[in-house]
Amino acid sequence: MARVLLKNVTKKFGNVIAVNKLNLEIKDGEFMVLLGPSGCGKSTTLRMIAGLETPTEGEIWIGEQLVNEIDPTKRNTAMVFQSYALYPHMTVFGNIEFPLKMARVPKQERIKKVKEVAEFLGISELLNRKPSELSGGQQQRVALARALVREPEVFLLDEPLSNLDAKIRTQMRFELKKLLSYELKITTIYVTHDQVEAMTMADRIAVMNRGVLQQVGTPDEIFYKPSNTFVATFVGSPPMNLIEGEILKKDNKVIFDAGEFSLELPEDVGIEGKAVLGFRPQHVQIAKEEKAGFVRGKILGIEKLGVESYGHVTYGNLEIVIQLPEEVGSNITEVYWKPKEDRIYIFDSKTKKLVYG
Amino acid sequence: MTPKEKERLIRRIWIVITYVVLLTFALVYLMPFIRSLVASFMTWAQASRYPPEWIPNPFTLENYQKLFRLELFPRWIRNTALYAGLIVAGNVMFTSMAGYAFARLKFPGRDVIFSALLSLLMIPMFVTLVPNYIIIYKLGLIDNIFGLALLGITNVSSIFLMRQYFMSLSNEIFEAARLDGCGPIKAFFYIALPLAKPALGAVAVYQFLGSWNAFIGPLIFLRSPENFTLPVGLSFAFQRAMWTEYTPIIAGSLVASAPTIILFLVLNKYLIRGIVVTGGKG
Ligand SMILES: Nc1ncnc2c1ncn2[C@@H]1O[C@H](COP(=O)(O)OP(=O)(O)OP(=O)(O)O)[C@@H](O)[C@H]1O
Ligand SMILES: [Mg+2]
């Protein structure tokens, strides 16, 4: 068990800055998810912690030790790769036993430990098979077993579920979380670009974009207090609506003028001038008839996702997605809407940082 | 005829044409071999008759018997086997290590050294023949199978093949091994080598074929008849005009090529894989 601390960590590949001045602390026993789009430097961060890449600048601490100069074999981190990276020429038993063998654990003890871990993960019957004879989910478990068997202090997972089909993924998500957080209470860093995975598994989420850390926080903080427009749109589905416009004060009222329409904002909004208004499709009030403060919208199309359905409303180039109440039929062409007052966000028009909400 | 039937007919005609062409070429290439096989069971008198006859009459094993009566023949086979064995063992051992180093380890000058090695492929053997001869001579290893084998114990194309193979293996497997506690040397023995069996097989087969049939090298570096390899020995026997007839020599060449032919038939999937390995992604 150990905490992991990244201090000003930068990694450059030639001209590409994969990770830029990253500061992040992962607490002892915490389940931290690194979330971000493809190419944002998640894997690079993870690989630097494992020791597979050396940071160009900055310090990496594991426990009370600065590990920059420490060989990956001695860091006591274990990693599960996206491709599982099982040794194809060894049996499942051989795969799980391998790290112990390399650590010169006596044979009897190795057998005992492999059997324990296999039992724990429910793969005891597979021990004599080769990786090629296993299903994706089974390979995944073997990879987990191989990582767990040497009782690492830090557990690193790089998109471990992305090769599984949707149903097993949901099930494994839950199992992994239970295993790592509740049963083993091991410090875990989990990389994914799937926000649902991040929201359901993480104690805290670190959102990255283009090598830069955007925000760190609990899933609730990330969802309800996004620190900028990137986080606001990356987390949540469908993404948060962002509308550029201007905030004006008129007769004691705060008005957001989007050009095509205007909305009344709560009175405590103290900002004026250019701004970006944000609200989630789910946080919208709907009316079928004209109503004070509501905006008229033409519905371009309706997306039905089981119980929920989302209407797409357009104003020139601007497209807004709003959740429609269940009872609204699919042949509706017009709607009146208004974001819920306590669920709106305002971002600075230049820095895109949250200034209200 | 419906269009479908027509299409099927055309396809069938094409298959027939393909087969006829392929069979013709196969026959042309096989003809000398078949001729040798048949002639080795003929008397010289019948074999030299014109127009050529194709059925041994009388059928005779005399040619083979003569060959095995030759005192040095078993010795030549032993020498050839020793030579081929050394070459194969040396190549498997050294080129797998070199290929691994070039593919998986990072060290200063790696790519420069590798390019230099590759450029050796363009230097004809005859250019290095004299310096090699001098080196082996100075080592006192002329007329010695071991001296001869020393020259072929590693080989640039084998190194290249091994390197390409190691490069085609998934990076993540080696990274996983590293995190599991494998340094580069352990990773070589526990991961790289077991996974490289197909490539090692290809190297072994190529090198065996090459060394078993080698002629120029053994001819130059070996002196006394009792140290000869089979190809040199047979030609030596021919030059000394031990026989006035050619049929025993034909029989001798057939015996000499038997191991390579058998090996090819048994292992040709490795040979093909070797080609795929070098031609594959790198
Ligand atoms: N070995 C490398 N050499 C050069 N550039 C690299 C290397 N590894 C990563 N990069 C670059 O660094 C950036 C970050 O890559 P990284 O693999 O960390 O992204 P990621 O967040 O894991 O993305 P993904 O979700 O696609 O896996 C990318 O622009 C990538 O092209
Ligand atoms: Mg990645």
Side-chain angles (χ1 to χ4, degrees):
Chain A
M1 299 293 122
R3 58 113 199 219
V4 176
L5 180 63
L6 305 172
K7 272 193 196 165
N8 257 318
V9 172
T10 297
K11 176 72 189 178
K12 293 181 189 161
F13 295 103
N15 289 331
V16 181
I17 304 177
V19 176
N20 198 348
K21 302 216 180 74
L22 177 63
N23 285 292
L24 185 63
E25 180 175 10
I26 298 105
K27 299 187 193 115
D28 190 2
E30 188 175 31
F31 196 116
M32 173 68 82
V33 172
L34 297 185
L35 177 67
S38 186
C40 73
K42 309 177 297 278
S43 299
T44 308
T45 306
L46 204 66
R47 292 163 55 80
M48 285 192 287
I49 297 170
L52 295 171
E53 307 278 1
T54 0
T56 318
E57 276 166 44
E59 295 178 354
I60 298 176
W61 294 74
I62 297 179
E64 293 310 309
Q65 201 177 19
L66 177 67
V67 296
N68 282 41
E69 302 297 325
I70 293 180
D71 194 76
T73 54
K74 306 213 168 62
R75 289 195 187 186
N76 210 9
T77 59
M79 185 154 165
V80 175
F81 293 84
Q82 184 175 358
S83 66
Y84 312 138
L86 297 177
Y87 309 124
H89 57 295
M90 299 181 195
T91 59
V92 169
F93 183 91
N95 267 280
I96 304 175
E97 183 198 24
F98 192 70
L100 300 175
K101 203 163 150 187
M102 291 302 105
R104 299 180 196 280
V105 175
K107 183 89 189 164
Q108 286 311 314
E109 208 180 320
R110 290 202 309 249
I111 296 176
K112 193 172 140 262
K113 282 196 167 174
V114 173
K115 288 205 169 134
E116 270 172 22
V117 172
E119 186 77 26
F120 189 51
L121 288 169
I123 47 173
S124 299
E125 323 80 71
L126 308 177
L127 286 176
N128 292 323
R129 298 218 207 142
K130 288 276 177 71
S132 56
E133 298 158 355
L134 303 177
S135 72
Q138 290 169 331
Q139 290 183 16
Q140 161 81 73
R141 274 165 223 262
V142 176
L144 273 175
R146 184 179 66 184
L148 284 175
V149 76
R150 61 199 167 102
E151 297 161 13
E153 287 188 309
V154 179
F155 210 69
L156 308 169
L157 300 105
D158 194 348
E159 313 209 7
L161 303 183
S162 57
N163 284 345
L164 301 177
D165 60 52
K167 200 172 152 211
I168 304 179
R169 198 159 19 173
T170 319
Q171 181 194 336
M172 282 300 282
R173 203 148 75 195
F174 183 69
E175 271 184 39
L176 263 181
K177 172 69 179 167
K178 194 173 84 176
L179 176 74
L180 297 170
S181 287
Y182 306 140
E183 289 171 22
L184 300 170
K185 300 188 174 58
I186 193 170
T187 312
T188 303
I189 306 173
Y190 186 105
V191 162
T192 182
H193 60 252
D194 180 345
Q195 43 128 348
V196 180
E197 234 167 84
M199 297 299 278
T200 50
M201 296 173 87
D203 293 332
R204 286 196 300 155
I205 301 174
V207 185
M208 295 178 70
N209 187 31
R210 302 185 183 202
V212 179
L213 183 64
Q214 306 289 319
Q215 186 176 3
V216 189
T218 61
D220 273 355
E221 283 167 0
I222 297 283
F223 191 78
Y224 291 109
K225 285 260 170 218
S227 66
N228 58 30
T229 52
F230 176 80
V231 178
T233 47
F234 194 76
V235 176
S237 162
M240 183 186 281
N241 294 302
L242 293 180
I243 306 164
E244 292 190 28
E246 207 167 339
I247 302 176
L248 312 164
K249 288 221 166 131
K250 251 192 223 163
D251 342 312
N252 279 345
K253 281 183 184 168
V254 185
I255 306 287
F256 182 81
D257 181 8
E260 301 269 348
F261 59 88
S262 56
L263 282 163
E264 194 175 326
L265 297 182
E267 284 168 17
D268 60 338
V269 175
I271 316 133
E272 276 186 81
K274 280 197 181 338
V276 178
L277 174 74
F279 57 91
R280 295 196 184 276
Q282 294 86 351
H283 298 153
V284 177
Q285 290 168 286
I286 302 287
K288 282 184 194 159
E289 273 103 44
E290 187 147 14
K291 209 166 164 184
F294 281 62
V295 179
R296 203 180 86 120
K298 247 192 153 52
I299 291 187
L300 195 72
I302 293 181
E303 243 178 304
K304 283 223 173 255
L305 306 169
V307 184
E308 298 151 45
S309 52
Y310 294 96
H312 291 245
V313 183
T314 52
Y315 301 93
N317 283 334
L318 179 68
E319 183 167 332
I320 293 173
V321 181
I322 49 181
Q323 183 171 17
L324 301 173
E326 215 178 334
E327 67 273 8
V328 169
S330 52
N331 45 12
I332 173 175
T333 56
E334 230 184 40
V335 77
Y336 295 86
W337 61 272
K338 174 178 189 273
K340 289 181 183 159
E341 289 214 340
D342 52 341
R343 293 297 172 80
I344 63 163
Y345 302 90
I346 296 171
F347 301 93
D348 189 281
S349 69
K350 287 221 178 64
T351 60
K352 310 285 180 200
K353 290 224 167 79
L354 186 70
V355 287
Y356 175 90
Chain B
M1 234 182 346
T2 67
K4 220 175 197 168
E5 278 174 334
K6 201 168 166 188
E7 199 180 296
R8 206 177 296 159
L9 186 76
I10 291 175
R11 197 183 309 153
R12 210 167 281 168
I13 290 173
W14 264 114
I15 290 175
V16 170
I17 293 175
T18 317
Y19 268 86
V20 168
V21 171
L22 286 178
L23 278 175
T24 314
F25 275 98
L27 262 180
V28 169
Y29 282 114
L30 269 177
M31 196 60 86
F33 179 73
I34 294 169
R35 177 67 196 160
S36 304
L37 196 64
V38 175
S40 73
F41 295 107
M42 289 178 180
T43 59
W44 173 235
Q46 191 199 1
S48 56
R49 209 169 287 158
Y50 189 88
E53 289 174 25
W54 286 92
I55 303 190
N57 183 26
F59 182 87
T60 173
L61 288 175
E62 179 67 10
N63 298 318
Y64 289 94
Q65 283 161 1
K66 268 189 190 159
L67 201 63
F68 285 100
R69 251 181 264 139
L70 200 64
E71 217 177 303
L72 287 175
F73 190 73
R75 182 106 201 206
W76 290 341
I77 293 184
R78 265 215 316 278
N79 287 344
T80 316
L82 176 64
Y83 175 59
L86 287 171
I87 296 283
V88 167
N91 268 278
V92 164
M93 212 154 76
F94 297 124
T95 65
S96 60
M97 292 190 209
Y100 177 74
F102 283 124
R104 292 269 151 211
L105 305 184
K106 288 190 179 121
F107 52 91
R110 178 185 72 174
D111 297 338
V112 176
I113 299 174
F114 186 69
S115 316
L117 260 185
L118 274 193
S119 66
L120 284 182
L121 280 176
M122 282 177 278
I123 300 176
M125 172 206 181
F126 297 98
V127 174
T128 52
L129 202 58
V130 174
N132 277 341
Y133 189 88
I134 295 171
I135 292 168
I136 298 298
Y137 180 78
K138 290 264 160 78
L139 288 171
L141 290 174
I142 293 294
D143 198 19
N144 186 327
I145 292 285
F146 289 93
L148 177 64
L150 205 57
L151 292 174
I153 213 147
T154 101
N155 174 294
V156 178
S157 18
S158 305
I159 293 175
F160 183 66
L161 192 144
M162 292 310 298
R163 171 182 180 266
Q164 294 311 96
Y165 191 80
F166 284 130
M167 284 177 59
S168 74
L169 294 178
S170 131
N171 218 357
E172 291 199 339
I173 287 185
F174 286 91
E175 290 180 339
R178 192 145 169 232
L179 295 182
D180 281 348
C182 273
I185 294 177
K186 275 186 180 167
F188 175 69
F189 285 108
Y190 284 106
I191 311 290
L193 217 47
L195 288 179
K197 273 186 203 145
L200 286 174
V203 164
V205 172
Y206 280 127
Q207 292 302 319
F208 181 82
L209 294 181
S211 53
W212 188 271
N213 297 322
F215 183 73
I216 305 276
L219 181 69
I220 291 166
F221 287 86
L222 303 175
R223 290 281 174 71
S224 26
E226 65 269 20
N227 285 338
F228 283 170
T229 59
L230 254 187
V232 181
L234 284 174
S235 101
F236 164 79
F238 165 68
Q239 277 172 359
R240 297 294 167 89
M242 278 194 159
W243 297 294
T244 50
E245 66 271 53
Y246 286 93
T247 37
I249 296 174
I250 293 171
S253 340
L254 282 175
V255 170
S257 55
T260 57
I261 291 168
I262 292 167
L263 199 69
F264 181 82
L265 291 179
V266 176
L267 295 180
N268 73 50
K269 75 164 191 242
Y270 280 114
L271 284 173
I272 291 164
R273 207 178 301 171
I275 293 162
V276 174
V277 166
T278 32
K281 72 166 189 181

